[in-house]
Amino acid sequence: MNEFETNEQPRTETYVLNMGPQHPSTHGVLRVELELDGERVIKVRPIMGYLHRGIEKLMESRTYFQCSPYTDRLDYISSMNNNYGYCKAVEELCGIEPPPRANYIRAICAELNRLSSHMVYIGSLANDVGAVTGMLYTFRDREDILDIFDLLCGARQTCNYIRIGGVAQDIPAGFDEKVRKFLDRVPDFLKEYSDLLESNEIFQIRLKDVSVMTAQEAMDCGMTGPNLRATGVPFDVRKVDGYGAYPDFDFDVPTGEHGDNWDRYEVRYKEMFESAKIIRQALDGMPEGDYMAKVPKMLRPPKGEVFSRTEGTRGELGFYIVSDGTNKPYRVHIRRPSFVSMQGLNPMCRGGLIGDAIAAFASIDPLMGEVDC
Amino acid sequence: MKNYIDASLLDVLKGKFPTIEYDTEAKEPAVYVPADVLLAFMAFVKTNDKFLFDRLENVTAVDYKTYFEMVYHLFAWNQSPIDAEIERKNEYENMWLTVKVKIDNHDAPAVPSVTSVFPSAEYEEREVYDLMGITFTGHPDLRRILLADDFTGHPLRKDYKEIAPPYTPRVRREGGKIIYE
């Protein structure tokens, strides 16, 4: 009997695999340390900061108006939502009430941007699970939204259109028809996506019953937005807080049941219909009047602080601003939904395969510009 | 902030924790909690059925040059699934509460970590530790999160000095001569 013939089990140990920051499926520059046992994931440690620009510190040395373009660069594919969150916080701090027309235009912009952001989500999720064609279809239709933004403010991605007190300018001629023409197409291309993706067996197997989260787990990880709603909790700041023009609109909050990747996809897919519904109601009920409230050229909010939140595309986007009475904020803190949701990666991926970890990253939709701030 | 907590409920808190302080004149008074009762306070407002603040929406810190302030924004949502066993009535309103902890020691600030009560605070506390330099005792994994591990200093402090960029000589041509600066 030689030394190799023993009854002992072979000695095994876990090993660490670095994924990123240049991995194509990590949505930018996320690095993930995967602790693996064979092909099973034991622990996931997201390591961020590769895109950290110190926006919170930069804002301390800019005036309130100059801060606004920085918020475009947080979550750069839904910049309108970020502008909205920041401007709402400053308005609450100064006691400025935006006119109703501005609120309606803001709602249209925010929902259009939510549509475009969810299109990027569906495209990149499809891409990450192997259906590369998905990206081509969603980006084709996203182009229409970017064209609408181009018409509205001259910029496609970093819009800076929503300003403190209202919006930068009134909606231009031809905007209404263009948006309505786009809205008529929404059910068509959404059906095209579902035909292309949802009936695909590989797509279903990669997403269904994979990376399941319970509602309690999701709340313990601080998840908000579509990721939390996928677990069955109807928490939507647009309904809970009812800010801006949202109480005027009739829309549903889609929720999932199982909290798996499929539900996270499905919730966003259904949300796109709801966004289209909101835009149509806002266009129909658009009030006349000013698009901008009276805002002093030199904005000096009274001493105090505010925490204000809106429903961003990735969850609850909060701005905490401390004013010391000067024209620059003393401290700005941004509660970024993607950053807090990253805590969910570990419970989602634990026990799964490496390939499922990729689908999990894609399904919680992190955006590194927002995670790293 | 819409639906800030009522003054009568704040009195209940004051009765339970006599060391907390708040401005009775202010419209939306933040509750200043001493660091030693912070965990007990958080656990109380999270589980007591008068309050049920089960959502910690925001954790951050502010540097006031001579002292630090930790800021926690708590939200009680009337349809929260976690307390399903507690009968919630329709008249039960959503509520907000701002909790602050004043840290007088500016040189070595430390505060208990609330992760044992609100697990969702883990990354936000790491962010505060990284950028503001406040140590959280009892935190499960207190490391820098955005900056590199070997970074020195805490950029969001008001007395933070930028690191000078590495020296690069500037070269210019004047007439036929090359001048190094």
Side-chain angles (χ1 to χ4, degrees):
Chain A
M1 186 173 152
N2 64 36
E3 57 182 313
F4 297 108
E5 287 177 20
T6 59
N7 288 329
E8 281 176 35
Q9 290 286 319
R11 192 175 61 89
T12 61
E13 58 183 23
T14 62
Y15 63 105
V16 174
L17 181 76
N18 243 316
M19 198 150 74
Q22 276 87 25
H23 195 278
S25 73
T26 52
H27 294 244
V29 282
L30 171 66
R31 182 176 136 215
V32 183
E33 266 183 22
L34 295 169
E35 198 180 328
L36 299 167
D37 179 8
E39 216 182 326
R40 291 276 166 191
V41 178
I42 292 177
K43 197 172 164 76
V44 176
R45 273 187 294 269
I47 294 169
M48 36 253 198
Y50 288 89
L51 210 60
H52 179 60
R53 293 145 293 174
I55 286 181
E56 288 178 5
K57 183 78 177 176
L58 284 168
M59 283 170 140
E60 287 175 9
S61 55
R62 305 288 191 279
T63 64
Y64 284 91
F65 297 109
Q66 288 171 338
C67 288
S68 175
Y70 282 103
T71 58
D72 286 325
R73 273 84 186 161
L74 284 171
D75 178 353
Y76 40 78
I77 60 173
S78 52
S79 58
M80 290 280 194
N81 288 286
N82 293 304
N83 292 159
Y84 196 173
Y86 172 72
C87 294
K88 180 171 167 276
V90 177
E91 281 157 11
E92 281 177 21
L93 190 62
C94 311
I96 299 169
E97 188 69 41
R101 188 176 174 84
N103 272 337
Y104 271 65
I105 301 174
R106 283 174 174 193
I108 293 175
C109 295
E111 295 310 315
L112 277 175
N113 219 326
R114 195 182 309 278
L115 272 169
S116 94
S117 171
H118 286 352
M119 282 178 190
V120 176
Y121 168 81
I122 291 177
S124 53
L125 176 70
N127 195 9
D128 287 350
V129 299
V132 184
T133 337
M135 198 109 186
L136 304 176
Y137 282 82
T138 55
F139 271 59
R140 176 198 67 193
D141 301 320
R142 179 171 172 259
E143 201 68 15
D144 291 353
I145 299 178
L146 298 187
D147 283 346
I148 291 172
F149 288 161
D150 198 358
L151 178 74
L152 199 58
C153 58
R156 285 157 57 83
Q157 280 229 37
T158 47
C159 299
N160 193 23
Y161 173 66
I162 296 175
R163 302 282 171 86
I164 298 165
V167 293
Q169 62 254 332
D170 207 350
I171 48 174
F175 175 81
D176 195 277
E177 297 120 69
K178 204 165 177 175
V179 177
R180 278 179 200 278
K181 224 167 123 190
F182 169 75
L183 288 180
D184 291 339
R185 283 191 50 230
V186 168
D188 297 342
F189 64 67
L190 284 179
K191 180 162 185 312
E192 204 175 356
Y193 302 164
S194 79
D195 288 350
L196 186 73
L197 296 171
E198 289 180 22
S199 48
N200 184 329
E201 198 182 340
I202 302 172
F203 192 72
Q204 292 196 5
I205 291 172
R206 289 295 301 273
L207 300 188
K208 276 190 177 165
D209 293 326
V210 179
S211 305
V212 181
M213 278 200 116
T214 60
Q216 178 70 59
E217 266 180 340
M219 291 185 85
D220 282 351
C221 295
M223 279 187 164
T224 44
N227 296 326
L228 180 62
R229 292 198 283 275
T231 62
V233 184
F235 184 78
D236 188 323
V237 181
R238 289 174 294 176
K239 283 274 186 203
V240 175
D241 283 7
Y243 59 91
Y246 284 109
D248 299 354
F249 307 134
D250 170 38
F251 63 99
D252 298 327
V253 179
T255 52
E257 280 172 30
H258 313 291
D260 55 356
N261 286 345
W262 181 263
D263 276 356
R264 279 185 279 276
Y265 161 78
E266 197 79 334
V267 161
R268 286 183 175 85
Y269 182 80
K270 286 177 187 155
E271 253 183 45
M272 292 169 80
F273 287 101
E274 300 302 320
S275 291
K277 231 161 90 181
I278 294 173
I279 299 168
R280 202 178 283 278
Q281 291 173 47
L283 282 175
D284 289 341
M286 177 73 77
E288 293 295 320
D290 272 346
Y291 58 87
M292 190 74 169
K294 260 187 123 53
V295 180
K297 282 269 179 291
M298 185 63 99
L299 192 63
R300 292 179 203 274
K303 262 190 187 179
E305 57 177 57
V306 72
F307 178 71
S308 152
R309 61 177 183 177
T310 53
E311 181 76 17
T313 47
R314 283 164 182 75
E316 177 188 329
L317 177 73
F319 280 86
Y320 173 68
I321 303 178
V322 182
S323 160
D324 58 352
T326 61
N327 59 350
K328 291 170 187 167
Y330 185 76
R331 169 95 169 90
V332 181
H333 174 73
I334 308 160
R335 187 230 189 257
R336 292 102 62 200
S338 301
F339 174 74
V340 185
S341 296
M342 292 300 278
Q343 293 175 116
L345 268 188
N346 187 34
M348 275 164 74
C349 300
R350 205 164 38 208
L353 299 166
I354 303 176
D356 292 340
I358 305 268
F361 302 156
S363 78
I364 64 166
D365 196 17
L367 201 103
M368 297 321 284
E370 191 178 59
V371 172
D372 292 343
C373 188
Chain B
M1 226 178 259
K2 237 161 91 179
N3 301 326
Y4 200 76
I5 187 170
D6 282 342
S8 57
L9 285 173
L10 284 173
D11 291 341
V12 176
L13 285 176
K14 180 81 179 167
K16 174 83 183 163
F17 298 95
T19 50
I20 65 168
E21 285 169 18
Y22 57 92
D23 184 359
T24 44
E25 303 293 310
K27 212 172 118 237
E28 293 173 354
V31 177
Y32 283 85
V33 180
D36 53 337
V37 296
L38 177 68
L39 284 182
F41 181 86
M42 286 292 196
F44 178 75
V45 294
K46 187 182 177 186
T47 50
N48 187 285
D49 57 2
K50 270 206 186 84
F51 300 96
L52 294 173
F53 286 102
D54 49 17
R55 296 187 59 87
L56 181 58
E57 301 288 359
N58 186 37
V59 180
T60 187
V62 187
D63 180 6
Y64 287 103
K65 289 178 184 155
T66 50
Y67 63 94
F68 287 102
E69 242 178 41
M70 281 299 299
V71 184
Y72 304 90
H73 290 103
L74 299 167
F75 183 60
W77 183 40
N78 57 7
Q79 292 163 34
S80 228
I82 288 176
D83 325 281
E85 68 273 10
I86 297 164
E87 189 76 23
R88 282 178 191 255
K89 298 196 174 77
N90 280 337
E91 60 260 35
Y92 187 95
E93 286 280 329
N94 294 335
M95 271 196 299
W96 281 97
L97 174 65
T98 310
V99 178
K100 289 188 174 180
V101 182
K102 195 175 166 192
I103 309 168
D104 288 319
N105 185 348
H106 197 277
D107 298 323
V111 76
S113 164
V114 296
T115 44
S116 55
V117 186
F118 293 103
S120 67
E122 185 184 335
Y123 276 21
E124 285 168 298
E125 286 190 340
R126 271 178 73 184
E127 192 192 12
V128 171
Y129 167 74
D130 186 358
L131 302 176
M132 201 65 99
I134 295 172
T135 312
F136 293 92
T137 48
H139 190 283
D141 183 22
L142 197 62
R143 290 177 293 131
R144 283 186 183 272
I145 191 164
L146 292 176
L147 301 170
D149 289 340
D150 57 353
F151 192 89
T152 49
H154 304 286
L156 278 183
R157 286 190 180 182
K158 291 285 174 187
D159 55 3
Y160 177 74
K161 293 272 186 302
E162 273 175 54
I163 306 164
Y167 173 71
T168 44
R170 302 180 73 175
V171 183
R172 65 190 162 89
R173 194 183 288 266
E174 223 169 69
K177 273 198 292 189
I178 296 171
I179 298 168
Y180 296 92
E181 286 178 346

